[in-house]
């Protein structure tokens, strides 16, 4: 039996910058073959979405709406809420920034699980919130009850990721609901669902009912991941009209381009295409996870488009193969999945590590979906 690898602490701004540097002094820098550090969708936007974008570029000389109305109406109709319950912005990061600037009092505590999305501690520091990270448990899951125990009158905001970034683990619906009932109604909670489209049906929440029962909850989502529109920066949140009204105070004029409206409308109309692409990515994820676990890496089960690889030698092994990963202080890594060539390169790079004690797979860990994955062109490699 292997000794559990401790989950790393969260990164601060200096660690984020340092994580981009080669960790081996004097080592010849290897040309980058695959950049898997940002959990990007490896495929371009869906063909019908690209067509919609082409159609609207002829009006790029015109300003968009002063304040966005069309995009919130479009999203609200799809989600099943009223337009005054939706706020949009520059990716989920931009919307999170608006929330963090408007809802908590300056100097109050911002509670989250650590490690988490890097933007949370960075933005908290920028805004003047007191970031308080609660370590993950030994399985890479968020310790919701550890988070609940530190909530006090000084707490101004809480963030829960579902699926969690960077481990891909999912807190159960029952645990989440119990946690939300334990949080004082005056404390806003971000439920970060950046990767919600990758969840299985059994893990999907009725978020409309959730925000009806908990007016302090805002559901945060993005079109950057499953939809493959990271470069267009389209994010949104929805919740109670009163909470959204407060966040709207920092809505940036002319901040949502017309391309966002066209892209979202076309994306919603292409659900069948999107479902096929998600299946391709999640199938590749399970195939890769099985291969890595057979090699002795304790990869937690992920419900996102990435895998978390704990181990001190992971990042160096990937770096030697020209693979850029999101790295953590102990050498562990998060890698985006779905590009067949990149997935193969990861397997080969980590198989070349010095042999170590393996961990037998349980039966449920070895399940691989029997789906034929049509190979698409690899993401462009960079040198």
């Amino acid at each position: 039996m292997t000794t559990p690898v401790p989950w790393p602490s969260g990164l601060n701004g200096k660690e984020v910058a340092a994580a981009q540097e080669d960790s081996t002094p004097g080592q010849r820098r290897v040309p980058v073959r695959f950049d898997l550090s940002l959990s990007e969708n490896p495929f371009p936007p869906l063909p019908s979405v690209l067509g919609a974008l082409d159609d609207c570029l002829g009006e790029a000389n015109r300003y968009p709406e002063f304040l966005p109305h069309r995009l919130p109406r479009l999203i609200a109709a799809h989600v099943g809420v009223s337009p005054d319950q939706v706020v949009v912005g520059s990716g989920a990061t931009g919307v999170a920034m608006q929330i963090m600037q408007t809802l908590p009092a300056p100097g109050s505590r911002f509670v989250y699980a650590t490690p988490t999305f890097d933007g949370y501690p960075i933005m908290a520091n920028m805004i003047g919130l007191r970031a308080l990270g609660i370590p993950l448990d030994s399985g890479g899951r968020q310790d919701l009850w550890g988070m609940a125990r530190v909530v006090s009158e000084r707490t101004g905001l809480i963030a829960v990721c579902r699926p969690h970034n960077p481990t891909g683990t999912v807190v159960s619906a029952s645990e989440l609901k119990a946690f939300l009932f334990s949080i004082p109604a005056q404390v806003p909670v971000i439920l970060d669902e950046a990767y919600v489209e990758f969840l299985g049906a059994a893990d999907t929440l009725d978020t409309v009912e959730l925000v009806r029962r908990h007016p302090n909850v805002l559901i945060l989502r993005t079109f950057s991941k499953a939809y493959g529109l990271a470069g267009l920066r389209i994010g949104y949140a929805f919740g109670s009209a009163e909470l959204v009204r407060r966040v709207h105070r920092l809505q940036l004029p002319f901040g949502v381009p017309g391309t966002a409206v066209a892209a979202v409308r076309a994306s919603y109309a292409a659900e069948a295409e999107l479902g096929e692409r998600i299946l391709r990515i999640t199938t590749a994820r399970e195939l890769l996870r099985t291969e890595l676990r057979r090699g002795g890496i304790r990869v937690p089960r992920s419900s996102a488009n990435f895998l978390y690889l704990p181990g001190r030698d992971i990042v160096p092994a990937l770096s030697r193969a020209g693979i850029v990963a999101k790295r953590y202080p102990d050498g562990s890594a998060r890698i985006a999945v779905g590009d067949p060539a990149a997935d193969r390169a990861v397997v080969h790079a980590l198989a070349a590590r010095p042999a170590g004690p393996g961990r037998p797979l349980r039966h449920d860990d070895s399940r691989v979906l029997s789906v034929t994955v049509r190979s698409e062109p690899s993401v462009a490699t960079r040198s």
Side-chain angles (χ1 to χ4, degrees):
M1 182 174 179
T2 56
T3 303
V5 177
W7 297 95
S9 60
L11 298 176
N12 58 36
K14 291 181 180 179
E15 289 170 324
V16 170
Q20 309 307 318
E21 299 298 325
D22 193 324
S23 61
T24 308
Q27 185 181 39
R28 182 177 63 85
R29 187 174 294 275
V30 178
V32 173
R33 296 171 59 210
F34 300 101
D35 187 345
L36 308 181
S37 63
L38 294 175
S39 64
E40 293 165 321
N41 190 317
F43 306 118
L46 297 167
S48 57
V49 177
L50 286 175
L53 289 171
D54 285 342
D55 290 342
C56 72
L57 287 179
E59 297 183 2
N61 58 310
R62 304 295 183 186
Y63 280 102
E65 295 175 293
F66 181 73
L67 292 177
H69 296 289
R70 290 186 296 162
L71 186 57
R73 284 199 300 267
L74 184 61
I75 292 171
H78 185 82
V79 171
V81 297
S82 62
D84 64 350
Q85 291 181 260
V86 177
V87 59
V88 297
S90 179
T93 304
V95 179
M97 184 73 157
Q98 289 175 233
I99 294 169
M100 294 170 71
Q101 287 177 306
T102 53
L103 298 187
S108 61
R109 282 182 177 173
F110 175 37
V111 177
Y112 54 87
T114 185
T116 189
F117 166 54
D118 287 338
Y120 284 138
I122 293 171
M123 290 187 291
N125 183 61
M126 292 169 60
I127 294 167
L129 300 179
R130 294 180 56 204
L132 180 57
I134 304 301
L136 305 179
D137 68 18
S138 60
R141 291 177 291 270
Q142 295 163 100
D143 180 4
L144 295 189
W145 303 114
M147 295 167 67
R149 283 193 294 271
V150 301
V151 172
S152 69
E153 67 281 356
R154 292 174 291 177
T155 304
L157 185 65
I158 301 169
V160 176
C161 297
R162 192 176 188 272
H164 186 59
N165 179 5
T167 61
T169 54
V170 181
V171 296
S172 69
S174 58
E175 186 179 7
L176 176 67
K177 291 173 183 177
F179 170 76
L180 293 176
F181 273 115
S182 75
I183 301 302
Q186 71 273 16
V187 178
V189 178
I190 297 173
L191 180 57
D192 187 332
E193 290 194 330
Y195 302 90
V196 67
E197 290 83 7
F198 298 100
L199 280 177
D203 289 322
T204 301
L205 290 170
D206 183 347
T207 46
V208 174
E209 174 64 15
L210 193 73
V211 298
R212 189 189 69 78
R213 288 181 175 273
H214 300 281
N216 60 325
V217 173
L218 282 167
I219 311 297
L220 180 66
R221 292 180 180 169
T222 181
F223 286 86
S224 296
K225 305 302 181 182
Y227 291 96
L229 299 175
L232 293 187
R233 312 307 301 130
I234 310 168
Y236 68 96
F238 66 92
S240 70
E242 189 278 329
L243 209 58
V244 168
R245 190 178 305 114
R246 292 165 61 188
V247 180
H248 265 300
R249 296 204 311 261
L250 289 185
Q251 188 74 65
L252 180 68
F254 300 121
V256 177
T259 50
V261 179
V264 169
R265 181 179 290 114
S267 294
Y268 284 158
E271 287 192 347
E273 296 173 74
L274 179 68
E276 291 175 2
R277 181 159 290 181
I278 289 172
L279 180 59
R280 188 172 302 129
I281 292 171
T282 54
T283 300
R285 180 193 69 207
E286 293 306 302
L287 289 165
L288 179 58
R289 178 175 182 264
T290 298
E291 285 295 315
L292 296 177
R293 285 182 65 88
R294 283 175 177 160
I297 301 173
R298 296 175 52 247
V299 186
R301 185 174 295 284
S302 172
S303 292
N305 67 332
F306 55 77
L307 291 173
Y308 184 86
L309 314 182
R312 295 174 180 83
D313 57 347
I314 299 295
V315 167
L318 294 174
S319 297
R320 286 192 293 270
I323 300 169
V324 180
K326 172 61 189 172
R327 63 184 296 171
Y328 295 87
D330 70 340
S332 300
R334 185 199 67 198
I335 56 168
V337 301
D339 174 6
D343 291 349
R344 288 192 298 270
V346 168
V347 171
H348 293 154
L350 297 180
R353 295 178 306 147
R359 175 182 174 182
L361 288 175
R362 300 189 306 270
H363 175 70
D364 65 319
D365 287 327
S366 62
R367 290 180 300 162
V368 179
L369 299 176
S370 56
V371 178
T372 301
V373 182
R374 180 172 64 84
S375 178
E376 296 195 21
S378 170
V379 290
T381 58
R382 298 189 283 270
S383 59

